[in-house]
Amino acid sequence: MEEVVAITGGADEGKHLEKHGLKNLGAVHWNLSASALYQEAIARCEGTITVGGALTVSTGVHTGRSPKDKFIVDSQAVHDHIDWGSVNKPVKPETFELIHERITAYLQGRDIFVQDCFAGADPDYKLNVRVITESAWANLFAQNMFIRPTEEQKRDFNPDFTILHVPGLLARGPEDGLNSETFIMVDFDKKMVLIGGTNYAGEIKKSIENGIYLSKGTLKTLNEISKKLDIFL
Protein backbone atom coordinates (compact mmCIF):
# COMPACT_ATOMS: atom_id res chain seq x y z
CA MET A 1 0.00 0.00 0.00
CA GLU A 2 1.13 3.53 -0.70
CA GLU A 3 2.06 5.52 2.35
CA VAL A 4 -0.31 8.37 3.15
CA VAL A 5 1.60 11.47 4.17
CA ALA A 6 -0.03 13.97 6.52
CA ILE A 7 1.31 17.51 6.78
CA THR A 8 0.44 18.74 10.25
CA GLY A 9 1.58 22.31 10.47
CA GLY A 10 4.71 22.66 8.36
CA ALA A 11 5.76 26.32 8.14
CA ASP A 12 5.16 26.85 4.44
CA GLU A 13 2.00 24.75 4.30
CA GLY A 14 0.50 26.51 7.32
CA LYS A 15 1.10 29.92 5.77
CA HIS A 16 -0.54 28.83 2.53
CA LEU A 17 -3.70 27.85 4.38
CA GLU A 18 -3.77 30.79 6.75
CA LYS A 19 -4.29 33.11 3.79
CA HIS A 20 -7.56 31.21 3.22
CA GLY A 21 -8.51 31.86 6.86
CA LEU A 22 -7.73 28.31 7.98
CA LYS A 23 -5.85 27.62 11.21
CA ASN A 24 -5.71 25.18 14.12
CA LEU A 25 -6.41 22.33 11.73
CA GLY A 26 -6.01 18.62 12.28
CA ALA A 27 -3.95 16.64 9.77
CA VAL A 28 -3.51 18.39 6.43
CA HIS A 29 -3.31 15.91 3.55
CA TRP A 30 -1.81 17.85 0.65
CA ASN A 31 -1.82 16.65 -2.97
CA LEU A 32 -2.21 12.97 -2.15
CA SER A 33 -2.20 10.55 -5.07
CA ALA A 34 -5.38 8.88 -6.28
CA SER A 35 -4.47 5.61 -4.58
CA ALA A 36 -3.70 7.36 -1.28
CA LEU A 37 -7.01 9.26 -1.37
CA TYR A 38 -8.80 5.99 -2.19
CA GLN A 39 -7.22 4.38 0.88
CA GLU A 40 -8.13 7.36 3.06
CA ALA A 41 -11.74 7.32 1.88
CA ILE A 42 -12.10 3.64 2.73
CA ALA A 43 -10.32 4.00 6.09
CA ARG A 44 -12.66 6.88 7.00
CA CYS A 45 -15.77 4.91 5.95
CA GLU A 46 -16.67 7.55 3.37
CA GLY A 47 -17.79 4.95 0.82
CA THR A 48 -17.72 1.32 -0.17
CA ILE A 49 -15.82 -0.73 -2.74
CA THR A 50 -17.79 -2.26 -5.59
CA VAL A 51 -17.18 -5.75 -6.97
CA GLY A 52 -14.92 -4.24 -9.65
CA GLY A 53 -12.91 -2.25 -7.11
CA ALA A 54 -14.40 1.18 -7.76
CA LEU A 55 -15.20 3.51 -4.88
CA THR A 56 -18.90 4.30 -4.54
CA VAL A 57 -20.21 7.10 -2.32
CA SER A 58 -23.73 8.13 -1.34
CA THR A 59 -24.38 11.86 -1.67
CA GLY A 60 -27.54 11.70 0.42
CA VAL A 61 -30.40 14.08 -0.33
CA HIS A 62 -28.55 15.90 -3.09
CA THR A 63 -28.04 13.60 -6.06
CA GLY A 64 -27.49 16.53 -8.41
CA ARG A 65 -26.85 20.25 -8.42
CA SER A 66 -28.89 22.64 -6.31
CA PRO A 67 -29.49 25.68 -8.59
CA LYS A 68 -31.70 27.50 -6.09
CA ASP A 69 -28.85 27.59 -3.62
CA LYS A 70 -26.23 29.25 -5.86
CA PHE A 71 -25.26 32.84 -5.13
CA ILE A 72 -22.81 35.43 -6.43
CA VAL A 73 -21.48 38.12 -4.12
CA ASP A 74 -22.85 41.43 -5.37
CA SER A 75 -19.92 43.83 -5.32
CA GLN A 76 -19.21 47.06 -7.16
CA ALA A 77 -16.76 45.26 -9.46
CA VAL A 78 -19.31 42.76 -10.79
CA HIS A 79 -22.72 44.34 -10.22
CA ASP A 80 -23.19 45.83 -13.70
CA HIS A 81 -21.87 42.77 -15.49
CA ILE A 82 -24.10 40.04 -14.06
CA ASP A 83 -27.48 39.09 -15.49
CA TRP A 84 -29.17 38.95 -12.10
CA GLY A 85 -32.27 36.81 -11.74
CA SER A 86 -33.47 33.38 -10.65
CA VAL A 87 -30.22 31.76 -11.80
CA ASN A 88 -27.70 34.41 -10.81
CA LYS A 89 -28.88 35.42 -7.35
CA PRO A 90 -27.03 38.16 -5.45
CA VAL A 91 -25.78 37.79 -1.90
CA LYS A 92 -24.28 40.48 0.30
CA PRO A 93 -20.52 40.47 0.96
CA GLU A 94 -21.35 40.36 4.67
CA THR A 95 -23.24 37.09 4.20
CA PHE A 96 -20.30 35.54 2.38
CA GLU A 97 -17.97 36.67 5.16
CA LEU A 98 -20.30 35.24 7.82
CA ILE A 99 -20.40 31.82 6.18
CA HIS A 100 -16.65 31.89 5.58
CA GLU A 101 -16.07 32.57 9.28
CA ARG A 102 -18.30 29.64 10.18
CA ILE A 103 -16.35 27.40 7.82
CA THR A 104 -13.01 28.36 9.34
CA ALA A 105 -14.40 27.69 12.82
CA TYR A 106 -15.98 24.41 11.70
CA LEU A 107 -12.69 23.13 10.26
CA GLN A 108 -10.61 23.82 13.35
CA GLY A 109 -9.32 20.53 14.72
CA ARG A 110 -10.55 18.61 11.66
CA ASP A 111 -8.46 16.80 9.08
CA ILE A 112 -8.60 18.34 5.62
CA PHE A 113 -7.51 17.41 2.11
CA VAL A 114 -5.94 19.92 -0.27
CA GLN A 115 -5.62 19.40 -4.02
CA ASP A 116 -3.83 21.88 -6.26
CA CYS A 117 -4.86 21.52 -9.87
CA PHE A 118 -5.46 23.29 -13.18
CA ALA A 119 -8.79 24.04 -14.83
CA GLY A 120 -8.37 24.37 -18.58
CA ALA A 121 -5.49 23.28 -20.80
CA ASP A 122 -5.07 26.52 -22.79
CA PRO A 123 -2.27 28.54 -21.14
CA ASP A 124 -4.14 31.78 -21.89
CA TYR A 125 -7.20 30.70 -19.92
CA LYS A 126 -5.90 28.06 -17.51
CA LEU A 127 -6.76 28.65 -13.86
CA ASN A 128 -4.81 27.48 -10.85
CA VAL A 129 -7.46 26.02 -8.55
CA ARG A 130 -6.97 24.95 -4.95
CA VAL A 131 -9.68 22.58 -3.72
CA ILE A 132 -9.90 22.15 0.06
CA THR A 133 -12.28 19.44 1.26
CA GLU A 134 -13.20 17.77 4.51
CA SER A 135 -13.41 14.35 2.85
CA ALA A 136 -10.89 12.28 0.95
CA TRP A 137 -13.36 11.16 -1.71
CA ALA A 138 -14.31 14.74 -2.70
CA ASN A 139 -10.62 15.53 -3.04
CA LEU A 140 -10.23 12.46 -5.23
CA PHE A 141 -13.15 13.70 -7.34
CA ALA A 142 -11.43 17.06 -7.83
CA GLN A 143 -8.16 15.40 -8.78
CA ASN A 144 -9.98 13.28 -11.34
CA MET A 145 -11.93 16.20 -12.84
CA PHE A 146 -9.11 18.70 -13.21
CA ILE A 147 -5.59 18.67 -14.67
CA ARG A 148 -2.86 17.52 -12.29
CA PRO A 149 0.25 19.69 -12.09
CA THR A 150 3.74 18.22 -12.24
CA GLU A 151 5.85 18.05 -9.09
CA GLU A 152 7.75 21.11 -10.27
CA GLN A 153 4.51 23.04 -10.92
CA LYS A 154 3.25 22.13 -7.44
CA ARG A 155 6.28 23.76 -5.81
CA ASP A 156 5.46 27.17 -7.31
CA PHE A 157 1.67 26.79 -7.25
CA ASN A 158 -0.30 29.90 -6.39
CA PRO A 159 -4.10 29.55 -6.61
CA ASP A 160 -6.17 31.85 -8.80
CA PHE A 161 -9.28 30.50 -7.11
CA THR A 162 -9.88 28.53 -3.92
CA ILE A 163 -12.80 26.23 -3.18
CA LEU A 164 -13.78 25.37 0.40
CA HIS A 165 -15.97 22.25 0.34
CA VAL A 166 -17.65 21.46 3.68
CA PRO A 167 -20.83 19.39 3.22
CA GLY A 168 -21.09 18.85 6.98
CA LEU A 169 -21.71 22.53 7.67
CA LEU A 170 -25.31 23.64 7.26
CA ALA A 171 -26.49 27.22 6.76
CA ARG A 172 -29.52 28.66 8.53
CA GLY A 173 -31.47 29.39 5.38
CA PRO A 174 -33.44 32.68 5.35
CA GLU A 175 -31.93 33.63 8.70
CA ASP A 176 -28.59 33.85 6.87
CA GLY A 177 -30.13 35.50 3.82
CA LEU A 178 -29.95 32.23 1.88
CA ASN A 179 -32.48 29.84 0.40
CA SER A 180 -31.85 26.77 2.56
CA GLU A 181 -29.18 24.98 4.60
CA THR A 182 -27.29 24.38 1.33
CA PHE A 183 -25.03 27.04 -0.15
CA ILE A 184 -22.79 27.47 -3.18
CA MET A 185 -21.40 30.99 -3.09
CA VAL A 186 -18.89 32.65 -5.42
CA ASP A 187 -16.97 35.79 -4.52
CA PHE A 188 -15.09 37.08 -7.57
CA ASP A 189 -13.34 39.76 -5.51
CA LYS A 190 -11.94 37.25 -3.03
CA LYS A 191 -11.59 34.59 -5.75
CA MET A 192 -13.17 32.03 -3.48
CA VAL A 193 -16.05 29.54 -3.59
CA LEU A 194 -17.85 28.27 -0.49
CA ILE A 195 -19.82 25.01 -0.73
CA GLY A 196 -21.75 23.47 2.15
CA GLY A 197 -24.85 21.51 3.04
CA THR A 198 -24.52 19.23 0.00
CA ASN A 199 -22.42 16.12 -0.59
CA TYR A 200 -22.88 16.33 -4.35
CA ALA A 201 -19.29 16.84 -5.51
CA GLY A 202 -20.41 18.05 -8.94
CA GLU A 203 -20.81 21.48 -7.36
CA ILE A 204 -17.00 21.65 -7.23
CA LYS A 205 -16.73 21.15 -10.98
CA LYS A 206 -19.60 23.46 -11.86
CA SER A 207 -18.23 26.24 -9.68
CA ILE A 208 -15.23 26.34 -11.98
CA GLU A 209 -17.00 25.73 -15.28
CA ASN A 210 -19.77 28.23 -14.70
CA GLY A 211 -17.98 31.53 -14.49
CA ILE A 212 -14.67 31.38 -12.70
CA TYR A 213 -12.82 31.98 -15.97
CA LEU A 214 -13.81 35.52 -15.20
CA SER A 215 -10.46 35.98 -13.49
CA LYS A 216 -8.69 35.45 -16.82
CA GLY A 217 -10.78 37.89 -18.86
CA THR A 218 -13.26 40.71 -18.66
CA LEU A 219 -16.76 40.38 -17.28
CA LYS A 220 -18.26 41.71 -20.49
CA THR A 221 -16.35 39.20 -22.63
CA LEU A 222 -17.32 36.30 -20.39
CA ASN A 223 -20.96 37.32 -20.39
CA GLU A 224 -20.97 37.33 -24.21
CA ILE A 225 -19.37 33.90 -24.31
CA SER A 226 -21.67 32.50 -21.64
CA LYS A 227 -24.79 33.62 -23.54
CA LYS A 228 -23.58 31.85 -26.67
CA LEU A 229 -22.81 28.68 -24.73
CA ASP A 230 -25.94 28.93 -22.56
CA ILE A 231 -23.99 28.65 -19.31
CA PHE A 232 -24.26 30.24 -15.88
CA LEU A 233 -23.21 33.86 -15.21
Side-chain angles (χ1 to χ4, degrees):
M1 292 177 65
E2 180 176 347
E3 181 181 1
V4 176
V5 179
I7 300 170
T8 55
D12 291 339
E13 290 76 12
K15 289 179 182 178
H16 286 321
L17 293 179
E18 284 181 4
K19 71 180 182 181
H20 305 311
L22 304 178
K23 56 185 179 180
N24 301 325
L25 300 166
V28 179
H29 300 276
W30 205 303
N31 286 325
L32 295 188
S33 66
S35 58
L37 287 168
Y38 179 97
Q39 294 169 33
E40 281 287 311
I42 296 302
R44 294 166 185 268
C45 301
E46 295 176 1
T48 56
I49 303 174
T50 64
V51 174
L55 176 67
T56 180
V57 177
S58 172
T59 59
V61 176
H62 294 282
T63 57
R65 289 180 289 133
S66 186
K68 293 183 178 180
D69 295 303
K70 294 180 183 291
F71 297 89
I72 299 174
V73 174
D74 186 4
S75 69
Q76 185 176 358
V78 304
H79 180 79
D80 294 332
H81 303 283
I82 302 294
D83 185 15
W84 302 107
S86 60
V87 175
N88 302 321
K89 295 183 291 297
V91 69
K92 296 179 180 178
E94 295 80 8
T95 300
F96 185 95
E97 193 61 37
L98 172 66
I99 299 300
H100 181 248
E101 289 178 0
R102 284 192 198 152
I103 289 175
T104 59
Y106 171 82
L107 288 176
Q108 290 195 33
R110 297 177 186 267
D111 296 352
I112 65 168
F113 297 83
V114 183
Q115 197 69 219
D116 291 333
C117 42
F118 299 132
D122 189 323
D124 292 334
Y125 297 97
K126 179 173 65 178
L127 277 180
N128 293 359
V129 180
R130 173 164 292 158
V131 184
I132 301 173
T133 66
E134 63 174 319
S135 66
W137 82 265
N139 218 245
L140 177 60
F141 173 91
Q143 185 191 87
N144 184 62
M145 292 305 304
F146 300 120
I147 298 172
R148 305 168 196 174
T150 64
E151 291 303 316
E152 182 178 356
Q153 289 172 325
K154 289 177 183 177
R155 285 194 290 271
D156 299 322
F157 192 91
N158 187 39
D160 296 315
F161 248 88
T162 301
I163 298 176
L164 299 181
H165 183 261
V166 287
L169 179 65
L170 306 180
R172 298 169 185 169
E175 184 179 338
D176 285 334
L178 303 175
N179 179 61
S180 71
E181 62 186 17
T182 299
F183 56 88
I184 304 97
M185 294 195 289
V186 182
D187 189 328
F188 288 113
D189 292 343
K190 295 182 179 295
K191 293 181 169 51
M192 181 175 286
V193 178
L194 308 180
I195 301 173
T198 172
N199 275 296
Y200 180 68
E203 299 289 9
I204 296 174
K205 174 175 67 73
K206 283 297 178 183
S207 294
I208 297 298
E209 288 182 351
N210 294 349
I212 292 185
Y213 282 104
L214 193 85
S215 64
K216 291 295 184 180
T218 65
L219 284 155
K220 182 180 292 185
T221 299
L222 188 64
N223 266 321
E224 291 172 353
I225 294 172
S226 66
K227 288 178 181 178
K228 292 180 181 179
L229 297 179
D230 191 28
I231 62 174
F232 164 83
L233 186 63

